[in-house]
Amino acid sequence: MERWLGKVALVTGASAGIGAAIAQELVKHGLKVVGLARRVEKVEKLAASLKSAPGKLYAVKADIAKEEDIIAAFGWIKKNLGGVDILINNAGVGTSEPLSEIGSGSWQVLDVNVKGLSIFTREALKSMKERGVNDGHIIHINRCSVYQPSAYQSSLNDVNPPPPYHNKVPTASEIQHSF
């Protein structure tokens, strides 16, 4: 993890669950972490609990479904931290609507899980290229849910198809060891 000391990681969906756990572990290992979430107060609370850690957590409010929020977040990062070295696309939403009954919940799923993820990836690549970063990382986290033909699962499979034997979600500790 020493090679990542002082580097900037952007974690989407950092207000709870896997995103919060990843943000916390990265800060504990000396990274500057931008925790993006709609519920920014939860990221601020997590940041306060990590004051004595070697890294730092910056809470930034953004709605992953809104391109203008994503662009603004990358602008804040560029102005305050220089740019992104690691992107962890963790934010995701789901719906139980079957494809035959697509409604507004399904469109939100596509806006977040496909469109938002794609815009984050584009902007992270742009940030890395501008600064000559050739060892950056982009990680897309897929959700394991019951494999049924729903708009949510279809949107995730478009981005990251599950292997036929996929039955375990990695822990934050296992993800951390992959760095």
Side-chain angles (χ1 to χ4, degrees):
M1 289 292 292
E2 288 79 31
R3 77 179 243 193
W4 298 107
L5 282 174
K7 298 288 186 179
V8 177
L10 169 58
V11 180
T12 67
S15 62
I18 293 171
I22 291 170
Q24 182 175 5
E25 286 300 314
L26 294 176
V27 170
K28 287 180 179 178
H29 284 88
L31 281 82
K32 299 173 193 170
V33 178
V34 177
L36 235 69
R38 287 175 299 161
R39 299 174 301 175
V40 73
E41 64 282 349
K42 290 188 171 209
V43 182
E44 290 167 345
K45 185 176 178 181
L46 179 59
S49 75
L50 295 167
K51 288 281 188 206
S52 62
K56 182 166 179 163
L57 177 58
Y58 300 86
V60 175
K61 184 175 177 117
D63 183 340
I64 280 78
K66 297 179 179 175
E67 184 171 7
E68 60 273 14
D69 283 11
I70 298 170
I71 302 298
F74 274 92
W76 184 93
I77 294 167
K78 183 175 184 176
K79 178 181 176 187
N80 293 284
L81 302 172
V84 172
D85 300 299
I86 302 166
L87 167 64
I88 300 177
N89 268 320
N90 168 68
V93 296
T95 182
S96 59
E97 292 176 345
L99 286 173
S100 61
E101 299 173 19
I102 288 179
S104 61
S106 297
W107 300 124
Q108 174 72 9
V109 167
L110 294 173
D111 284 345
V112 171
N113 297 355
V114 178
K115 184 177 141 194
L117 177 140
S118 299
I119 295 168
F120 270 102
T121 302
R122 178 193 73 200
E123 294 302 311
L125 287 169
K126 193 184 307 182
S127 174
M128 291 177 200
K129 282 183 176 182
E130 285 174 356
R131 295 173 301 111
V133 174
N134 61 2
D135 63 347
H137 283 52
I138 296 176
I139 300 167
H140 301 304
I141 297 181
N142 191 353
R143 302 295 186 276
C144 290
S145 62
V146 177
Y147 289 105
Q148 58 186 12
S150 70
Y152 172 62
Q153 194 56 50
S154 295
S155 75
L156 291 177
N157 290 343
D158 289 344
V159 174
N160 202 3
Y165 54 84
H166 191 71
N167 63 0
K168 181 178 182 290
V169 177
T171 65
S173 178
E174 289 170 332
I175 293 169
Q176 173 243 320
H177 290 297
S178 72
F179 284 103

